[in-house]
Amino acid sequence: MIRAAAIASVASIAALVAGCFDATTIDEYPCPPDGTALTYASFGEDFLAANCETCHAADAPSRHGAPEAFTFDTLDQVRGHADRIFVRAAAGNTTMPPGPDDPPADERARLAEWLACGAP
Ligand code: HEC
């Protein structure tokens, strides 16, 4: 009995740890059946400007180490990196932006929907 309980608690700790590193990918997040009302003009451009472009713009005074290849100035650049943007910042994924000033969960949910629908 004691051994079974120990095994069960080890398993639940393992599941917890796995969960922390188990990012949701864009393929796991369907576009709603009716599509999205969000567009680059109404949402994506402003979201990226507010949360990402201090480091990920070509003309950022300091990129704080953000890779040159990951510049989000245009819709084409955003679409080209949609899978990585999703895994770092959309839905429950919160590793971007770095630091404590995260956008709220409802904004990340909107980012997820917009990207999952092809970033219209
Ligand atoms: C304060 C600066 C800063 C801000 C703001 C920032 N990033 Fe980053 N970003 C970095 C740095 C530094 C790296 C390289 C280290 C790393 O990958 O964690 C990076 C790397 C990345 C990468 C490439 C690595 C990968 O996992 O593919 C993506 C994609 C990314 N960021 C997305 C975003 C998104 C989306 C936002 C806004 C929601 C954002 N970042 C906001 C600094 C920033």
Side-chain angles (χ1 to χ4, degrees):
M1 280 306 257
I2 290 167
R3 181 184 286 179
I7 289 169
S9 66
V10 166
S12 64
I13 290 166
L16 197 69
V17 170
C20 293
F21 295 101
D22 190 15
T24 306
T25 67
I26 195 166
D27 299 328
E28 295 165 344
Y29 197 100
C31 177
D34 294 336
T36 183
L38 302 168
T39 65
Y40 186 61
S42 75
F43 171 73
E45 187 172 18
D46 289 344
F47 178 93
L48 292 159
N51 298 296
C52 315
E53 289 290 272
T54 46
C55 302
H56 286 278
D59 66 354
S62 168
R63 297 177 65 93
H64 301 280
E68 294 290 333
F70 290 88
T71 296
F72 308 141
D73 291 337
T74 68
L75 180 54
D76 279 349
Q77 289 170 334
V78 173
R79 285 179 177 155
H81 295 300
D83 58 336
R84 294 307 309 169
I85 292 173
F86 195 103
V87 110
R88 300 298 300 263
N93 302 323
T94 60
T95 59
M96 283 288 149
D101 296 320
D102 281 350
D106 63 325
E107 287 284 291
R108 292 188 187 274
R110 295 171 82 200
L111 178 66
E113 176 180 308
W114 179 63
L115 291 174
C117 294

